[in-house]
């Protein structure tokens, strides 16, 4: 490979590609890499110091049963967890169907007609609801968002954080009694409340609507199997967390948040929506609908910076609903509620005061001996309760609770003695303490998919059918530029299902999570060493969330110094689309900096803009290496210009996999950067989530990193950006294992090979496609952009045609039309072998030869393998074939496709049709038929 690109050694290539003035001296101060068995044994020792107590804390987190068939065949299956976001719908039909099941579950249970395919968590879902409601207020001066005092505390805190930068005033109130004035644009309710109360909220919704405000209701999917839905109560938006549908607690994540709303708000709903469309043959097909709402297109006009969803977890939650169906879910809910009513009655008999008469699974009790004594007695029995205030304690039961557990809880509240009565005696005749007017009457999960897979055999076959329709890393390279689809080693993945990591509640006492604290501290030190920035926050649970958090730290730093007027954020034209969206969300005003002909930052324009806004400059956001795949030689000068003007440098670390071990952002001028652990550090993309986006910061920003209102982090109790204190904690072992396996030399080698592979591809393809944007010496960084724009005029072929034809060759397309319309951005990563890279290059070259046959008029411009791609089996073996090229060329363009063929599930999906006829739930057969007629 080195010979092909003209370098004698790997060191020579790296010296050419990476500017000498930013190269780090020496190597990373990390332990040497270990073997898989050694590293897993070390992690086992760490994990063993976590203590698994029975947690009845609640607050939106509940222990549950993950059906083993789902754990083994989705959560632990690389066919599911190594797929990418379903932008190429024809080879993602299985995942899209699983997400449609999730959306249907949310729609049915919330009673609202539109739902997205998941958000990051419940708290950020509530913040997104506030933002959407604020955007819908029109030209009014309304700026108050009322939040019920009985919402979960972490939700209140994340909402307040988000509101601060948007000019929104949050007022915490008892909304059952509070008046709603004309200054209020929206309200947030919790149903059931954080302390368990099930109240009739119809009156609150009516008062809000009468005042011109919209209603968001944070809710619980399991409770909604028994409760009147938010939509029926009058809510305009419903948000929540689907964790208790089969997803482990995981010390806080990852879990799929959900978001549902009314039909009229379908174009404002944040996140991704899966919709029913049709393919070129007129058959039903699924795709991501309304994609023009995404932030990478809207940029600074975006109202949200959402990038990462929680697809893998949404798939698990949706499959949990498919497996249990409405009867099974209701049975689980009735059992949980029944045990809660038994517990409440037993507590009363023992002389304790139960505060609420109506509840689902959470009992708020005033212990006769006082809250302190109850908490001590519980901990003595390895039980965690929630201390709500000086007098009361909350006990939240869940799917795993047994009659014996209730018996033990009663003993806790009876000085450790047997209560003197049998638990079974306490079940009331009605067995429900939910008021009649709030008991669910409407049907849910009526679609056949929720009734067809009751046995493990049937569910197993269904899941494998869906998996077979999805392209993932088990099939071949996914060469997506800027997305880093790399190996997720099995040894790295194994710990995520260890109970020592999976069964901890995020608000369990810190002394029970000693193993996690060791892992966090070691991972923070590792990431600090890699970035050259000494302070690391692990809370942001997505790259986009990391951007937002880093900018908030910069904003708070300026404000602490009295620089309240600093609000200008300079962003290059070449930036990731989330960058301007994040800046706006962080309360900043975006000023665009020009790029030169090679797409490098125009230093002269940057200097002009920095001087022009010197008194208001807050930050400059850069991506390094650039989004266009180049190590810009002026990066150190760029940082100095910003610092001289009083600003801070935010570095988007999405491309950190080209720098680890070679250069460190903190050494060449970055003040804060985020790291996509789901890219550089091997957390798999999971079909579009989970992700993790921790931020690393310089000393002067340390005190402005996120904290948490329930679990203080290094003394920081306020300003949370995610629901859980450490984001998606249970997937952090993946990155820890990766770093420990690789060691300093392995990490550096990975960066070097990623750069080598990208330069090799650029050289192999440059005589067939123009390669855009190289450094002055002709090198690229970890990715390259090939230009296909000229093929539109010469052959009538656009970049989408090439992307779809690659499916016939057995490849997922590179990144299409980003960052430059009409181009392909290719990133091979260090994980791919020369043989696989050569196979991809051969496919690209053969496709160029096919285009030449169109240019020579051998093939018609409209009827050719590219315009008709992809070619699913049903089309190829159909009775009719009226194309000028043979079936064999359509289906088997290479020898390797004859040996092992991945078949697209459908023909090319019609985008516009699905947007015009939006269906985002599993439709009845009649609707399906009308949608494709």
């Amino acid at each position: 490979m080195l010979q092909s690109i003209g370098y004698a050694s790997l060191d020579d290539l790296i010296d050419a590609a990476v500017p000498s003035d930013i190269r780090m001296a020496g190597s990373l101060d990390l332990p040497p890499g270990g073997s898989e068995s050694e590293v897993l044994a070390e992690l086992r020792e760490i994990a063993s110091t976590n203590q698994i107590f029975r947690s009845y804390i609640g607050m939106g987190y509940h222990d549950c049963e993950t059906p083993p068939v789902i754990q083994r065949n989705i959560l632990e299956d690389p066919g599911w967890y190594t797929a990418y976001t379903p932008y190429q719908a024809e080879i993602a039909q299985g995942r899209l169907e699983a997400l449609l099941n999730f959306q249907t579950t949310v729609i049915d249970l919330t009673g609202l007609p539109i739902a997205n395919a998941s958000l990051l968590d419940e708290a950020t879902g509530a913040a997104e609801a506030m933002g959407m409601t604020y955007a819908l207020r029109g030209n009014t001066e309304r700026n108050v968002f009322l939040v019920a005092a009985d919402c979960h505390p972490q939700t209140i805190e994340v909402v307040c954080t988000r509101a601060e930068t948007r000019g929104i005033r949050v007022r915490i109130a008892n909304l059952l009694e509070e008046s709603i004035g004309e200054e209020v644009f929206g309200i947030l309710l919790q149903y059931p409340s954080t302390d368990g109360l099930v109240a009739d909220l119809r009156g609150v919704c009516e008062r809000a609507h009468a005042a011109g405000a919209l209603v968001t209701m944070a809710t619980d999917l399991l409770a909604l199997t028994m409760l009147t839905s938010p939509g029926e109560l009058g809510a305009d938006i419903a948000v929540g967390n689907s964790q208790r549908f089969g997803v482990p607690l995981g010390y806080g994540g990852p879990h799929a948040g959900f978001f549902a709303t009314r039909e009229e708000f379908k174009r404002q709903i944040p996140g991704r929506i899966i919709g029913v469309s049709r393919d070129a043959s007129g058959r039903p097909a699924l795709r991501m609908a309304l994609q023009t709402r995404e932030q990478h297109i809207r940029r600074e006009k975006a109202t949200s910076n959402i990038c990462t969803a929680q697809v893998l977890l949404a798939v698990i939650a949706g499959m949990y609903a498919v497996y249990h169906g409405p009867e099974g879910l209701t049975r689980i809910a009735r059992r949980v509620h029944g045990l809660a009513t038994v517990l409440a009655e037993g507590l009363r008999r023992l002389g304790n005061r139960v505060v609420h008469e109506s509840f689902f699974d959470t009992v708020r009790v005033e212990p006769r001996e006082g809250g302190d004594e109850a908490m001590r007695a519980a901990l003595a029995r390895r039980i965690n309760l929630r201390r709500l205030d000086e007098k009361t304690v909350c006990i939240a039961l869940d799917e795993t609770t047994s009659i014996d557990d209730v018996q033990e809880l009663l003993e806790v509240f009876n000085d450790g003695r047997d209560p003197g009565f049998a638990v079974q005696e306490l079940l009331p005749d009605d067995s429900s303490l939910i008021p009649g007017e709030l008991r669910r009457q409407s049907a849910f999960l009526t679609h056949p998919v929720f009734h067809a897979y009751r046995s493990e055999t049937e569910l197993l076959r269904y899941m494998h059918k869906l998996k077979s329709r999805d392209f993932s890393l088990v099939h071949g390279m996914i060469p997506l530029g800027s997305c880093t689809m790399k190996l997720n080693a099995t040894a790295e993945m194994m710990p995520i299902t260890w109970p020592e990591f999976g069964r901890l509640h995020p608000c369990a006492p810190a002394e029970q999570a000693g193993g996690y604290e060791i892992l966090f501290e070691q991972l923070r030190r590792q990431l600090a060493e890699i970035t050259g920035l000494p302070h690391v926050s692990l809370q942001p649970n997505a790259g986009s969330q990391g951007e937002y958090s880093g900018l908030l730290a910069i904003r708070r730093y300026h404000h602490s110094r009295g620089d309240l007027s600093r609000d200008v954020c300079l962003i290059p034209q070449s930036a990731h689309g989330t960058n301007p969206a994040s800046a706006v969300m962080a309360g900043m005003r975006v000023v665009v900096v020009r790029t030169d002909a090679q797409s490098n930052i125009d230093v002269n324009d940057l200097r002009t803009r920095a001087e022009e806004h010197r008194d208001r400059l807050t930050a400059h956001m850069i991506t390094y290496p650039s989004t266009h795949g180049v190590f810009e030689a002026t990066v150190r000068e760029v940082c100095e210009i910003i610092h001289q003007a009083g600003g801070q440098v935010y570095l988007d670390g999405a491309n950190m996999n080209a720098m680890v071990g070679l250069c460190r952002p903190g050494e060449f001028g970055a003040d804060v950067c985020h790291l996509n652990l789901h890219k550089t550090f091997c957390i798999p993309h999971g079909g579009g989530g989970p992700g993790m986006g921790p931020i690393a910061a310089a000393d002067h920003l340390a005190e402005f990193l996120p904290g948490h209102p329930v679990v203080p982090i290094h003394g920081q109790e306020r300003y949370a950006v995610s629901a859980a204190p450490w984001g998606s904690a249970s997937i952090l072992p993946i990155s820890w294992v990766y770093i420990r396996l690789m060691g300093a030399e392995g990490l550096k080698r990975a960066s070097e090979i990623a750069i080598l592979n990208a330069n090799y591809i650029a050289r192999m393809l440059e005589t067939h496609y123009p390669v855009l944007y190289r450094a002055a010496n002709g090198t690229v960084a970890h990715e390259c952009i090939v230009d296909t724009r000229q093929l539109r005029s010469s052959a009538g072929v656009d970049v989408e045609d090439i992307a779809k034809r690659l499916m016939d060759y057995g490849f997922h397309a590179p990144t299409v039309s980003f960052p430059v319309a009409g181009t392909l951005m290719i990133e091979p990563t260090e994980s791919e072998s020369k043989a696989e890279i050569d196979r991809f290059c051969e496919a690209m070259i053969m496709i160029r030869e096919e285009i030449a046959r169109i240019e020579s008029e051998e093939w018609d411009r409209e009827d050719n393998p590219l315009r008709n791609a992809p070619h699913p089996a049903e089309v190829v073996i159909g009775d009719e074939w009226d194309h000028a090229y043979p079936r064999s060329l359509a289906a088997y363009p290479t020898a390797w496709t004859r040996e092992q063929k991945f078949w697209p599930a459908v023909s090319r999906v019609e985008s516009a049709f699905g947007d015009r006829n939006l269906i985002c739930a599993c439709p009845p057969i009649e609707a399906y038929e009308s949608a494709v007629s």
Side-chain angles (χ1 to χ4, degrees):
M1 293 173 79
L2 285 163
Q3 290 173 354
S4 299
I5 61 177
Y7 288 90
S9 70
L10 196 54
D11 287 341
D12 289 345
L13 170 62
I14 300 306
D15 287 342
V18 185
S20 59
D21 70 333
I22 66 169
R23 289 288 299 275
M24 62 180 290
S27 60
L28 294 170
D29 183 16
L30 295 173
S35 70
E36 291 182 343
S37 59
E38 290 169 342
V39 171
L40 287 176
E42 182 181 344
L43 188 59
R44 275 284 189 196
E45 185 68 25
I46 292 172
S48 69
T49 61
N50 286 330
Q51 301 179 62
I52 311 301
F53 283 30
R54 292 288 289 120
S55 284
Y56 302 103
I57 298 171
M59 294 173 58
Y61 299 97
H62 305 267
D63 205 357
C64 63
E65 303 286 356
T66 305
V69 63
I70 294 176
Q71 176 176 319
R72 175 60 59 87
N73 295 286
I74 293 181
L75 181 57
E76 298 175 346
D77 189 331
W80 284 97
Y81 66 68
T82 68
Y84 182 61
T85 302
Y87 289 120
Q88 298 295 335
E90 296 82 1
I91 51 176
Q93 289 294 297
R95 192 169 356 118
L96 289 166
E97 182 172 329
L99 290 174
L100 196 71
N101 294 341
F102 173 80
Q103 288 179 182
T104 304
T105 301
V106 173
I107 286 169
D108 282 8
L109 287 172
T110 62
L112 291 162
I114 301 288
N116 65 21
S118 77
L119 292 180
L120 298 173
D121 56 39
E122 179 172 338
T124 53
E128 293 293 340
M130 176 185 67
M132 179 179 128
T133 305
Y134 188 60
L136 287 167
R137 79 196 193 286
N139 296 320
T140 69
E141 297 299 316
R142 297 170 180 260
N143 70 339
V144 173
F145 190 64
L146 289 182
V147 177
D150 58 6
C151 288
H152 296 317
Q154 70 273 19
T155 299
I156 295 174
E157 184 57 36
V158 170
V159 165
C160 289
T161 298
R162 190 76 65 89
E164 177 189 340
T165 58
R166 298 288 301 275
I168 297 171
R169 292 167 49 212
V170 174
R171 198 160 72 229
I172 314 299
N174 180 348
L175 291 183
L176 291 175
E177 302 173 358
E178 176 90 1
S179 62
I180 301 173
E182 60 182 14
E183 76 283 4
V184 176
F185 66 85
I187 69 172
L188 173 65
L189 303 167
Q190 189 89 45
Y191 173 69
S193 69
T194 190
D195 63 346
L197 175 65
V198 173
D200 192 337
L201 300 175
R202 291 182 180 91
V204 182
C205 295
E206 290 169 0
R207 286 190 286 115
H209 291 151
L214 296 178
V215 178
T216 297
M217 204 172 284
T219 190
D220 180 310
L221 292 181
L222 190 65
L224 293 182
T225 65
M226 296 183 67
L227 298 177
T228 301
S229 71
E232 293 171 297
L233 293 178
D236 303 289
I237 301 169
V239 301
N241 180 1
S242 62
Q243 176 265 317
R244 69 189 313 175
F245 274 29
V247 181
L249 281 164
Y251 207 40
H255 308 137
F258 62 83
F259 191 111
T261 190
R262 300 198 179 281
E263 178 80 25
E264 57 264 38
F265 304 141
K266 64 186 178 185
R267 294 191 179 275
Q268 286 78 34
I269 185 173
R272 298 166 178 147
I273 302 174
I274 309 308
V276 180
S277 188
R278 66 186 181 189
D279 73 358
S281 301
R283 296 179 300 160
L286 305 176
R287 65 178 289 273
M288 290 205 309
L290 305 175
Q291 288 188 49
T292 54
R293 302 168 313 110
E294 292 233 358
Q295 79 292 323
H296 66 267
I297 296 172
R298 300 194 66 210
R299 301 176 71 83
E300 66 270 15
K301 294 183 177 63
T303 56
S304 167
N305 73 334
I306 288 176
C307 183
T308 305
Q310 300 281 25
V311 168
L312 186 67
L313 297 314
V315 168
I316 291 171
M319 209 61 71
Y320 181 93
V322 166
Y323 195 26
H324 288 292
E327 300 88 357
L329 293 177
T330 302
R331 186 167 54 249
I332 293 168
R334 289 189 180 280
R335 183 175 176 278
V336 173
H337 178 62
L339 290 174
T341 62
V342 166
L343 174 63
E345 178 58 26
L347 290 170
R348 290 191 191 97
R349 288 196 186 185
L350 294 173
N352 304 284
R353 176 176 172 260
V354 174
V355 176
H356 300 310
E357 293 298 319
S358 176
F359 50 82
F360 169 62
D361 62 1
T362 300
V363 180
R364 180 175 180 178
V365 58
E366 187 176 317
R368 70 183 188 205
E369 301 295 337
D372 289 341
E373 182 58 35
M375 296 295 288
R376 281 195 294 269
L379 287 172
R381 291 175 176 250
R382 298 177 65 83
I383 291 173
N384 292 322
L385 306 178
R386 178 185 175 194
R387 184 67 180 273
L388 198 66
D389 55 36
E390 290 185 2
K391 291 185 176 181
T392 60
V393 171
C394 283
I395 310 166
L397 305 189
D398 57 54
E399 180 187 3
T400 68
T401 305
S402 68
I403 288 178
D404 289 342
D405 292 327
V406 174
Q407 176 77 24
E408 187 172 26
L409 285 167
L410 291 175
E411 291 174 5
V412 164
F413 286 84
N414 193 41
D415 299 324
R417 302 189 304 273
D418 185 276
F421 48 80
V423 169
Q424 290 86 342
E425 299 173 12
L426 305 177
L427 194 64
D429 293 338
D430 187 352
S431 78
S432 176
L433 295 181
I434 297 171
E437 66 273 15
L438 288 177
R439 296 185 190 182
R440 188 175 192 113
Q441 303 299 319
S442 57
F444 59 93
L445 303 187
T446 58
H447 191 275
V449 74
F450 298 103
H451 298 265
Y453 307 108
R454 285 295 176 272
S455 73
E456 180 167 324
T457 301
E458 291 297 332
L459 184 72
L460 182 67
R461 289 171 181 163
Y462 178 59
M463 292 188 296
H464 275 265
K465 180 182 77 170
L466 297 190
K467 185 178 74 168
S468 71
R469 297 176 178 177
D470 271 20
F471 191 97
S472 68
L473 284 176
V474 306
H475 300 103
M477 180 166 66
I478 302 179
L480 284 150
S482 198
C483 298
T484 321
M485 295 297 298
K486 62 194 281 184
L487 172 69
N488 315 112
T490 303
E492 295 159 10
M493 299 302 298
M494 288 170 61
I496 66 171
T497 51
W498 292 354
E500 295 91 339
F501 288 130
R503 295 201 62 196
L504 264 74
H505 192 286
C507 298
E511 55 269 22
Q512 296 172 22
Y516 263 120
E517 182 51 42
I518 293 170
L519 184 138
F520 295 157
E521 185 54 36
Q522 292 187 5
L523 187 57
R524 281 192 291 255
R525 286 203 305 266
Q526 292 162 351
L527 298 178
E529 173 65 17
I530 287 166
T531 60
L533 293 164
H535 302 278
V536 175
S537 168
L538 299 173
Q539 187 175 124
N541 53 0
S544 54
Q545 198 82 292
E547 292 179 16
Y548 171 61
S549 304
L551 293 174
L552 282 184
I554 289 173
R555 183 178 190 269
R556 289 177 174 239
Y557 164 74
H558 285 307
H559 285 194
S560 74
R561 294 158 55 88
D563 287 338
L564 303 182
S565 63
R566 290 190 177 272
D567 64 350
V568 170
C569 184
L570 303 181
I571 300 182
Q573 289 174 323
S574 59
H576 280 141
T578 50
N579 289 174
S582 295
V584 170
M585 219 172 78
M588 298 177 183
R589 181 162 58 91
V590 173
V591 172
V592 176
V593 176
R594 288 200 300 264
T595 53
D596 63 21
Q598 289 302 311
S599 198
N600 297 314
I601 295 172
D602 185 327
V603 175
N604 290 329
D605 189 58
L606 174 68
R607 188 176 282 109
T608 299
R609 299 285 167 252
E611 187 59 34
E612 177 186 352
H613 301 285
R614 170 177 286 273
D615 294 335
R616 302 189 68 91
L617 180 62
T618 181
H620 177 43
M621 297 185 79
I622 61 173
T623 301
Y624 202 77
S626 74
T627 308
H628 294 147
V630 177
F631 282 99
E632 296 186 47
T634 60
V635 64
R636 188 180 287 275
E637 181 183 3
V638 164
C639 295
E640 289 171 355
I641 290 170
I642 299 303
H643 289 149
Q644 288 169 5
Q648 298 283 289
V649 176
Y650 174 90
L651 188 135
D652 183 324
N655 298 334
M656 189 72 195
N657 61 306
M659 291 196 290
V660 178
L662 300 175
C663 49
R664 303 199 290 185
E667 292 182 347
F668 59 75
D671 298 289
V672 60
C673 75
H674 88 266
L675 299 167
N676 286 342
L677 299 190
H678 50 287
K679 294 182 178 183
T680 302
F681 297 97
C682 287
I683 291 174
H685 282 250
M692 274 294 276
I695 53 175
D699 283 329
H700 62 281
L701 296 178
E703 64 182 289
F704 307 106
L705 297 180
H708 198 268
V710 182
V711 184
I713 302 171
H714 299 304
Q716 295 287 316
E717 297 184 5
R718 293 293 176 184
Y719 155 45
V721 296
S722 302
W726 295 277
S728 296
S730 68
I731 56 176
L732 291 175
I734 299 170
S735 298
W736 183 93
V737 173
Y738 170 68
I739 294 170
R740 283 290 293 112
L741 287 173
M742 299 291 276
E745 289 305 310
L747 292 170
K748 178 183 177 184
R749 180 77 173 181
S751 301
E752 293 171 339
I753 298 300
I755 293 170
L756 169 63
N757 288 352
N759 279 275
Y760 179 75
I761 284 180
R763 180 60 57 87
M764 295 294 287
L765 296 182
E766 65 184 0
T767 58
H768 306 278
Y769 305 88
V771 176
L772 298 177
Y773 311 128
R774 302 177 190 251
N777 57 16
T779 60
V780 297
H782 60 301
E783 60 194 9
C784 62
I785 297 175
V786 298
D787 193 354
T788 65
R789 291 173 292 186
Q790 73 282 2
L791 302 177
R792 176 41 118 174
S793 57
S794 68
V797 170
D798 62 26
V799 67
E800 184 180 9
D801 298 325
I802 297 173
K804 303 309 181 187
R805 183 59 172 154
L806 274 168
M807 297 177 188
D808 292 329
Y809 281 80
F811 284 101
H812 193 293
T815 302
V816 175
S817 290
F818 177 82
V820 181
T823 67
L824 293 169
M825 183 161 58
I826 305 169
E827 180 178 0
T829 80
E830 78 277 7
S831 298
E832 299 299 343
S833 66
K834 180 177 182 296
E836 182 72 357
I837 292 171
D838 284 339
R839 193 168 71 90
F840 170 76
C841 290
E842 182 183 353
M844 288 291 292
I845 292 167
M846 291 178 72
I847 288 173
R848 183 63 185 90
E849 291 169 353
E850 291 180 347
I851 295 170
R853 297 173 75 172
I854 303 171
E855 291 171 327
S856 68
E857 299 184 357
E858 178 184 347
W859 284 340
D860 183 79
R861 279 189 168 224
E862 295 303 321
D863 182 27
N864 59 68
L866 283 96
R867 297 291 284 173
N868 296 328
H871 298 83
E874 187 172 343
V875 170
V876 174
I877 65 173
D879 294 335
E880 297 182 5
W881 185 265
D882 54 3
H883 304 300
Y885 55 94
R887 299 173 193 257
S888 58
L889 180 64
Y892 299 113
T894 64
W896 73 72
T897 49
R898 290 181 178 274
E899 178 184 344
Q900 183 176 350
K901 174 71 176 179
F902 180 86
W903 289 96
V906 295
S907 299
R908 193 174 305 195
V909 178
E910 293 187 29
S911 299
F913 180 88
D915 288 351
R916 288 194 308 270
N917 305 276
L918 182 63
I919 301 174
C920 65
C922 299
I925 299 303
E926 313 84 70
Y928 234 112
E929 290 172 348
S930 63
V932 299
S933 61

